[in-house]
Amino acid sequence: MRSRKIALTSVLISLGIAIHVLESFVPFPFPNGRWGFSNLVVLLSIVIFGTRQGLMVALGKSLVGSLLVGHFLDVAFFMSVFGSIAAALTEAFAFKMKIFGLLGVSVLGSAANNSVQACVGALFVQSKVIFWILPYMLVLGLPGAFANAYIVGRVISHVQKIGFGVFITEEAEDTENALSKLRSDHSTDRRKPWQRCHRDS
C-alpha cells in the first residue's frame, strides 16, 4: 500500500512538472502569470490521497518546474511556489468541508493561487498596482479552474469504473485492510469444520 502511494505520488509530481513546463509556452496577459492548468494534479492528489500528498505534489511541480523553465529563485519562482501551496491548502480545506463540488473546490483553489501570487508580486515590486489587475487575473484563471475540475472528475469516474484500486483515502485503506485480513484468515484455514473442531479441542 505504501509503495503504491509513493509511486503514484511520484507520477503525479512528474505529470505536474510536465504541465508546468508546457504551460510556460502558453502566453498569459500579465507578467509572471499562469493559466493554472498544472494545478489539476494538485487537486487530483488531494482527492485521491489527501492534504499531505497534495502539498508534496504542489511543491514538487513548482520547484522542479521553475528550475526547468529558468525561473529558479526569481519573482516568478516565489509566486509559483507560494501560489501553489495556497491553492493546495485551500482545495484541501474546501474538499474536506464536503459542501463544494469539484468545480467549486477548483475555483477556490484558483482564486487562492492568484491572490497569493498578487501579494508576492506586490512585495517584490514594492507596489500595490498589481492589486488593480487582480480581478482580471481571477477571471482569467476561471478557464483553467473549469478545465482542471472537468479533467479530475473524468479521471476519478474512469478509475472508479475500471477499478484500478488507485484510491487510497483513509476510509478506503481501512476497508481494504479489513478485506485483506478476511481473505488471509480464510486462506490460512481451509480445514473442514470437523477438522477444525478436532484440532482446536
Side-chain angles (χ1 to χ4, degrees), residues 167-188:
F167 290 87
I168 318 178
T169 58
E170 292 181 0
E171 294 81 3
E173 188 169 2
D174 292 340
T175 302
E176 184 171 337
N177 289 337
L179 291 175
S180 298
K181 185 177 185 302
L182 288 175
R183 288 193 293 266
S184 176
D185 293 342
H186 179 72
S187 62
T188 55

Side-chain angles (χ1 to χ4, degrees), residues 76-95:
F77 167 79
F78 289 104
M79 290 176 66
S80 175
V81 170
F82 286 106
S84 294
I85 293 174
L89 292 174
T90 301
E91 289 173 350
F93 178 75
F95 184 71

Side-chain angles (χ1 to χ4, degrees), residues 37-81:
F37 295 113
S38 64
N39 286 329
L40 75 90
V41 293
V42 178
L43 178 59
L44 184 60
S45 301
I46 291 171
V47 173
I48 295 177
F49 299 115
T51 306
R52 182 182 300 178
Q53 273 67 31
L55 284 170
M56 289 174 59
V57 172
L59 282 172
K61 63 101 174 174
S62 297
L63 290 172
V64 180
S66 297
L67 179 63
L68 292 176
V69 298
H71 288 297
F72 192 64
L73 296 181
D74 64 1
V75 179
F77 167 79
F78 289 104
M79 290 176 66
S80 175
V81 170

Side-chain angles (χ1 to χ4, degrees), residues 109-130:
S110 175
N113 192 345
N114 283 303
S115 298
V116 170
Q117 285 194 25
C119 292
V120 173
L123 287 175
F124 270 89
V125 300
Q126 296 294 312
S127 173
K128 297 181 181 179
V129 176
I130 191 171

